[in-house]
Amino acid sequence: MNIKFLSLAVVSAFTLVGCGGGGGDGTSAAAPGAGGSSASVTNPPAPVNPPPAESKPANSGSVDAPFVAGAKPRFLMTGRLGQMSGIASPLTQTSDGAVTVMGSTTLTGTTIATQDISGNASFAQGRWSVGTAKFSSSTWTMTGDSFDAFHYSVYNSLETLPTNGSMTCNSGKFTKPGYSGGTVRSTDYFGTSTGSASVTFDGAGANVSLMITTTGAGASGTVNLSGTVKTGNATYISGGLGGTGNGGMVAVGDAGNGAVNVIAIYNVVVANENKTSYSGIATFTCK
């Protein structure tokens, strides 16, 4: 299916990384009355506070419109097995915008959930948090109670890159970045991210500049990603990935009407004593 796997540090086969009740409230019948009389209750009242129904994971987020796949839809993904890119065909998107099938990469299970859903006709993004992620030769099960997750963005490849011009980008859509490394494992499993991007074109390709700031574990850090995407089906790597340092993997896609999407996997090390790092995915639309 033309899926490319990247290790946690370089472009190679990805490597598996080890991860890391309730009760009801009832009422009781009255005690026997004074003077030797007694009371009986044939139909005791229902509990005042019945135990809550079992909560089930649910999708979160929304899209402005369903993704419209072009001739060559592609995806980027990052998670506990490393970084991946590939062809997103066949593709399945649920009614609330979650993508559960991208080629041979699927989310399956009796209970599944996707968080941080966003997108429109030109891209679809989210974070698989509950279920079993299946790849061409591996599986990973997520229960939603830790940083185990897979962040994805699906987009249409840009078949012909412009040869000149520059574009400014919006503030982007982000999945919630998850813990990816540090000298001590953090219990702050998720952080928050913001960023900016710009892109210029010349005969060499799309020259992309990105700056993403992530806050988590009581500190913040910033990664600057600059590089050239040479073709509409290509990516570039900048710095480290998968908890090894600041870095990312960047692609461009067709946003329609002459606009482009800039899609970035990123890893940010925040400035605390444990060098805690977070990884996520972002999509910017540039015009």
Side-chain angles (χ1 to χ4, degrees):
M1 299 302 298
N2 192 30
I3 297 179
K4 301 177 182 177
F5 298 96
L6 303 178
S7 74
L8 299 181
V10 296
V11 185
S12 63
F14 65 67
T15 303
L16 179 67
V17 178
C19 54
D25 183 14
T27 59
S28 58
S37 63
S38 64
S40 64
V41 179
T42 58
N43 294 301
V48 175
N49 296 309
E54 181 183 359
S55 60
K56 294 185 181 298
N59 291 354
S60 68
S62 62
V63 296
D64 297 329
F67 175 67
V68 179
K72 295 181 179 179
R74 299 189 64 84
F75 72 93
L76 294 186
M77 177 175 278
T78 185
R80 295 295 286 156
L81 297 180
Q83 290 72 44
M84 293 153 259
S85 67
I87 297 174
S89 180
L91 183 142
T92 300
Q93 185 176 30
T94 65
S95 59
D96 54 4
V99 176
T100 57
V101 176
M102 294 169 264
S104 61
T105 301
T106 63
L107 178 64
T108 64
T110 303
T111 302
I112 61 176
T114 301
Q115 309 296 321
D116 310 329
I117 296 169
S118 65
N120 53 37
S122 69
F123 79 96
Q125 184 169 278
R127 171 171 54 90
W128 289 350
S129 61
V130 178
T132 298
K134 291 187 176 183
F135 309 97
S136 58
S137 59
S138 303
T139 61
W140 191 273
T141 298
M142 303 158 289
T143 59
D145 58 358
S146 75
F147 56 89
D148 285 343
F150 288 89
H151 310 248
Y152 68 84
S153 186
V154 175
Y155 60 97
N156 287 315
S157 60
L158 193 60
E159 291 302 298
T160 302
L161 294 176
T163 58
N164 58 70
S166 61
M167 296 182 177
T168 57
C169 307
N170 64 7
S171 56
K173 296 291 186 180
F174 293 79
T175 59
K176 186 179 293 184
Y179 169 79
S180 59
T183 57
V184 176
R185 176 168 291 182
S186 176
T187 56
D188 292 316
Y189 292 143
F190 295 101
T192 58
S193 292
T194 59
S196 61
S198 63
V199 57
T200 62
F201 298 93
D202 57 25
N207 306 301
V208 181
S209 294
L210 285 146
M211 182 177 70
I212 296 175
T213 298
T214 298
T215 300
S220 296
T222 298
V223 60
N224 292 285
L225 307 174
S226 295
T228 300
V229 179
K230 295 182 178 180
T231 70
N233 295 324
T235 61
Y236 74 77
I237 304 294
S238 177
L241 284 170
T244 62
N246 290 330
M249 179 165 66
V250 180
V252 295
D254 187 353
N257 299 317
V260 303
N261 288 321
V262 171
I263 307 97
I265 292 172
Y266 63 91
N267 198 78
V268 177
V269 180
V270 302
N272 62 12
E273 62 181 359
N274 296 324
K275 298 181 180 179
T276 306
S277 61
Y278 293 88
S279 183
I281 202 163
T283 299
F284 300 84
T285 300
C286 313
K287 299 178 181 182

